[in-house]
Amino acid sequence: MFDVIVVGGGPAGATAAEDLARSGHSVALLDRAGRIKPCGGAIPPRLIADFDIPDDQLVARITTARMISPTGRKVDIPIENGFVGMVDREHFDAFLRVRAQQAGATRVTGTYRRIEREEGRVRVVYRDKETGREQVIDGRLVIGADGARSAVARDEVPGGDRIPYVIAYHEIIEAPAGMNGYDPDRCDVVYDGRISPDFYGWVFPHGSSASVGMGSMERAVDLKEATAALRAASGLTECRTIRREGAPIPLKPLDCWDNGRDVVLAGDAAGVVAPSSGEGIYYAMVGGRVAATAAAASLASGRARDLRLARQLFMREHKTVFRVLASMQNAYYRSDERRERFVSLCHDIDVQRLTFEAYMNKKLVRARPMAHLKIGLKNLAHLARLVPPAHT
């Protein structure tokens, strides 16, 4: 019998499994294998440092972010004193799973079916990938890290079946060679209602390939058609398509991450994707780490209530950032006129510096209070239409 069964082998699940195995716990990592999540693949320096990501996992180093407005206006934001790393989820997720196994976790390949309980133990029933038959894993606790529409969350955690999400879709294409202004060191973020009426589109370099995609909550949007339009606008129509992927991305952390008994959630299953940016890898891995911490505490104490530590620890550090980003999304993503003003605001050097300092270090920067005040006033001026969109 395992101490912990982790369901889902993405960044959250693999991180939780590795942390628990390294601390001496017996861990089973159940993953269905073969699934690649659509993702731009950006990881900040803090993730690289906190989770010891080797250089060979970085397929590109981004030094500029370009914001593109509905009218085609471009704002280039340099990433000062560093870079944003890019990973390909096909290889990055596999690396994390292998690392968890090397730390001592037992890998199991199959698809989660349900949880049963018997004589003080929790049993995860899954369909074995090789035989197609149902098998069971016995354990003391379960970490559900099986994505935005988590079956574990749906079955076990209050509200787990009602998480709001964006449907994301991207195409991995061969990177062009000197074609139409494509820059292998620059990420393009496209705020245009013709691409996405309520989110954004992206062109993110991955070395020899690139991720081109978008997301939307509106079910009427044709994701493939919108991505084709984005590729055309970016001069990437003729590039060979390597693969296509789609999946939900949650928009809000769940109010409860555990069942008060023997299950705790992590990553997308808990809803920890940053609003506005849609950034998920860093927060997924942090979510896996705090879930592992909570599980270890519960195992040591025998108290089910210690599973609450996962959400408490996460929110203690990241709640304010999530709240600010949600306010930004609600304020600026509702119309092209608002998106135009948002890109206009990004001309401001204070906005650029504070935005990327916060992104790179994963905390709101408090060192320059006057800059915060100036940004707040400019933000209000744009929202109140006191300045035209073309001005900063």
Side-chain angles (χ1 to χ4, degrees), residues 10-186:
T15 299
E18 181 187 358
D19 280 8
L20 285 164
R22 290 194 186 281
S23 64
H25 294 92
S26 59
V27 184
L29 177 59
L30 172 65
D31 186 68
R32 64 187 185 184
R35 176 182 177 274
I36 308 170
K37 183 181 176 182
C39 177
I43 60 172
R46 183 169 173 185
L47 184 155
I48 296 171
D50 286 359
F51 297 96
D52 194 24
I53 304 303
D55 286 347
D56 62 12
Q57 284 300 311
L58 304 182
V59 294
R61 289 168 169 79
I62 300 303
T63 56
T64 304
R66 171 172 285 181
M67 309 296 192
I68 304 175
S69 78
T71 61
R73 189 152 41 90
K74 301 176 178 66
V75 177
D76 285 355
I77 304 177
I79 300 170
E80 299 177 348
N81 304 316
F83 63 88
V84 173
M86 303 300 293
V87 297
D88 189 317
R89 292 292 296 273
E90 179 182 14
H91 306 295
F92 184 68
D93 290 16
F95 159 77
L96 294 176
R97 288 191 288 269
V98 168
R99 192 164 72 171
Q101 185 176 19
Q102 291 172 341
T106 298
R107 296 271 303 274
V108 181
T109 304
T111 303
Y112 167 88
R113 288 303 194 200
R114 62 189 178 275
I115 287 177
E116 299 175 349
R117 292 173 177 86
E118 181 178 306
E119 298 178 354
R121 66 180 64 187
V122 59
R123 315 190 83 179
V124 170
V125 181
Y126 70 98
R127 183 175 60 81
D128 183 84
K129 184 176 182 180
E130 294 298 324
T131 67
R133 297 174 182 171
E134 286 196 349
Q135 305 284 349
V136 299
I137 313 171
D138 287 347
R140 298 171 64 188
L141 297 175
V142 172
I143 293 177
D146 51 334
R149 288 188 286 207
S150 164
V152 175
R154 179 198 64 211
D155 292 346
E156 295 288 333
V157 176
D161 59 342
R162 298 189 299 275
I163 187 169
Y165 56 84
V166 162
I167 295 294
Y169 172 81
H170 80 159
E171 297 176 356
I172 298 293
I173 64 172
E174 283 188 348
M179 178 188 285
N180 292 341
Y182 175 85
D183 186 340
D185 300 322
R186 187 190 71 223

Side-chain angles (χ1 to χ4, degrees), residues 331-332 337-338 340-342 344-346 348 351 372-392:
Y332 284 110
E337 191 268 343
R338 290 286 185 96
E340 195 73 38
R341 291 181 177 276
F342 174 67
S344 179
L345 188 63
C346 290
D348 189 273
V351 171
H372 281 282
L373 178 60
K374 286 167 58 181
I375 290 169
L377 292 174
K378 292 171 184 174
N379 186 49
L380 289 173
H382 277 277
L383 291 174
R385 297 182 174 85
L386 297 178
V387 295
H391 295 169
T392 60

Side-chain angles (χ1 to χ4, degrees), residues 87-354:
V87 297
D88 189 317
R89 292 292 296 273
E90 179 182 14
H91 306 295
F92 184 68
D93 290 16
F95 159 77
L96 294 176
R97 288 191 288 269
V98 168
R99 192 164 72 171
Q101 185 176 19
Q102 291 172 341
T106 298
R107 296 271 303 274
V108 181
T109 304
T111 303
Y112 167 88
R113 288 303 194 200
R114 62 189 178 275
I115 287 177
E116 299 175 349
R117 292 173 177 86
E118 181 178 306
E119 298 178 354
R121 66 180 64 187
V122 59
R123 315 190 83 179
V124 170
V125 181
Y126 70 98
R127 183 175 60 81
D128 183 84
K129 184 176 182 180
E130 294 298 324
T131 67
R133 297 174 182 171
E134 286 196 349
Q135 305 284 349
V136 299
I137 313 171
D138 287 347
R140 298 171 64 188
L141 297 175
V142 172
I143 293 177
D146 51 334
R149 288 188 286 207
S150 164
V152 175
R154 179 198 64 211
D155 292 346
E156 295 288 333
V157 176
D161 59 342
R162 298 189 299 275
I163 187 169
Y165 56 84
V166 162
I167 295 294
Y169 172 81
H170 80 159
E171 297 176 356
I172 298 293
I173 64 172
E174 283 188 348
M179 178 188 285
N180 292 341
Y182 175 85
D183 186 340
D185 300 322
R186 187 190 71 223
C187 282
D188 292 355
V189 183
V190 182
Y191 297 98
D192 187 339
R194 292 167 295 184
I195 303 301
S196 172
D198 54 351
F199 207 54
Y200 63 82
W202 67 82
V203 179
F204 286 2
H206 284 185
S208 61
S209 62
S211 165
V212 184
M214 50 76 65
S216 178
M217 287 186 69
E218 295 192 11
R219 300 298 180 261
V221 173
D222 187 317
L223 305 181
K224 293 183 178 180
E225 185 177 290
T227 301
L230 175 59
R231 287 180 63 167
S234 305
L236 301 173
T237 299
E238 300 304 316
C239 296
R240 184 177 72 88
T241 301
I242 300 171
R243 65 177 192 263
R244 299 176 174 88
E245 295 144 1
I249 297 177
L251 292 176
K252 181 182 178 183
L254 289 173
D255 294 330
C256 178
W257 293 8
D258 69 275
N259 67 350
R261 185 178 181 181
D262 49 21
V263 174
V264 63
L265 304 178
D268 282 10
V272 291
V273 172
S276 179
S277 68
E279 182 193 359
I281 301 176
Y282 172 77
Y283 294 111
M285 296 180 75
V286 171
R289 178 151 289 174
V290 296
T293 300
S298 181
L299 289 169
S301 69
R303 296 189 301 256
R305 67 175 180 269
D306 286 347
L307 295 177
R308 301 175 194 169
L309 282 171
R311 191 178 192 279
Q312 292 169 358
L313 291 171
F314 186 94
M315 289 301 177
R316 181 182 300 168
E317 184 167 1
H318 301 292
K319 178 175 67 175
T320 302
V321 171
F322 272 50
R323 185 175 296 166
V324 169
L325 291 175
S327 297
M328 182 185 300
Q329 180 170 335
N330 292 335
Y332 284 110
Y333 285 20
R334 63 178 60 179
S335 70
D336 272 356
E337 191 268 343
R338 290 286 185 96
R339 283 185 275 268
E340 195 73 38
R341 291 181 177 276
F342 174 67
V343 174
S344 179
L345 188 63
C346 290
H347 275 288
D348 189 273
I349 191 66
D350 288 321
V351 171
Q352 294 180 13
R353 286 177 176 169
L354 288 178

